[in-house]
Amino acid sequence: VQLQASGGGLVQTGGSLRLSCEASGHSFSGYVMGWFRQAPGKEHELVTAISWGGGSTFYLDSVKGRFTISRDNAKNMLYMQMNSLKPEDTAVYYCAADPRDIPTILRYGMNYWGKGTLVTVSS
């Protein structure tokens, strides 16, 4: 099982980045996929998640209106468009997947994680 995130980098406050995640080695049919992040000295948090069909999504309050999650199931790809970035968005971002529904994931987390990609927002 591999979840490979990419697209991180250094950006100024107010800038944008688009993270991508390629899933391979496992069938993620029906899975919820999402993005976690972990800032220095803080615990990881679920930033956003999307159901298999895209009809159900979750966004952390602090990113609502700025971040948009999407997925292309035919290509086994997950994306997150991040706009109006703030220094507090600086973190390592991880792509993740889980067969359970979003309410369950919010309570128990996700089972499959990939390696992270670092996003640094300078002030």
Side-chain angles (χ1 to χ4, degrees):
V1 176
Q2 280 195 326
L3 295 167
Q4 183 64 54
S6 61
L10 174 63
V11 65
Q12 291 186 332
T13 296
S16 297
L17 282 174
R18 187 193 194 207
L19 302 187
S20 299
C21 173
E22 181 177 8
S24 62
H26 180 78
S27 173
F28 289 100
S29 177
Y31 277 47
V32 169
M33 296 189 74
W35 295 94
F36 283 84
R37 69 184 179 188
Q38 186 167 24
K42 296 186 178 181
E43 293 188 358
H44 67 263
E45 59 183 356
L46 179 62
V47 177
T48 181
I50 185 168
S51 60
W52 169 253
S56 181
T57 58
F58 164 82
Y59 289 95
L60 191 64
D61 283 347
S62 61
V63 308
K64 284 181 180 177
R66 300 189 298 122
F67 291 11
T68 302
I69 191 170
S70 61
R71 64 191 294 171
D72 184 336
N73 293 329
K75 297 181 179 179
N76 292 325
M77 294 293 296
L78 176 72
Y79 306 100
M80 180 168 65
Q81 179 67 41
M82 304 187 295
N83 298 328
S84 303
L85 283 161
K86 304 175 181 181
E88 51 264 43
D89 295 317
T90 294
V92 177
Y93 284 74
Y94 300 88
C95 172
D98 196 280
R100 298 169 295 183
D101 60 18
I102 290 178
T104 303
I105 287 167
L106 286 170
R107 188 171 183 179
Y108 298 108
M110 289 189 173
N111 282 321
Y112 298 97
W113 287 62
K115 293 183 179 179
T117 185
L118 177 62
V119 172
T120 303
V121 184
S122 64
S123 57

